Amino acid sequence: APDGRTLAFGSPGGSTIITTVVGIATNLIDFDMPLPQAISAPRLSQRNGSNTTVEQALADTDTAAALGTLGHQLNPVTEIGAATGLEIWPKGEMQAVAEPSRRGGGAAMVVTP
């Protein structure tokens, strides 16, 4: 990151791994979200098909309506992915982040020996 942070994040999910990771990166870079918010934000997944999969939290928003206007056929689902991430700041402090609710929520922590 340009501010000296080191970031690592990922998600299981088979065919939605790439769209989950790209969504988190977009939230961090383009929307300047902190890592916890970038991971917990509603997701969508478009993989060059006729349907765009969207989480239910996104299905009834202005964004979803705009996608529909552009011709996207939305397929609402309960959740997409289950990400975790690690952020290291320039002075060595670390933050570990897990999903707050997807798949029952996750756990992440930094352990200092």
Side-chain angles (χ1 to χ4, degrees):
D3 59 5
R5 293 177 297 161
T6 300
L7 294 159
F9 48 89
S11 175
S15 62
T16 63
I17 291 171
I18 293 170
T19 57
T20 296
V21 170
V22 167
I24 294 168
T26 298
N27 290 339
L28 289 164
I29 296 165
D30 295 330
F31 298 114
D32 199 28
M33 290 182 182
L35 185 58
Q37 285 79 9
I39 284 178
S40 66
R43 297 189 182 126
L44 60 79
S45 183
Q46 172 42 257
R47 297 180 311 273
N48 297 326
S50 59
N51 291 317
T52 299
T53 304
V54 297
E55 287 185 333
Q56 192 62 51
L58 188 65
D60 298 322
T61 66
D62 291 342
T63 299
L67 289 170
T69 300
L70 293 172
H72 291 266
Q73 295 177 0
L74 303 183
N75 176 31
V77 297
T78 304
E79 60 190 20
I80 298 172
T84 58
L86 179 67
E87 183 171 25
I88 305 170
W89 291 295
K91 293 183 180 179
E93 296 114 334
M94 294 183 191
Q95 173 177 231
V97 179
E99 293 284 359
S101 60
R102 289 179 184 94
R103 298 191 187 182
M109 68 170 85
V110 175
V111 178
T112 304

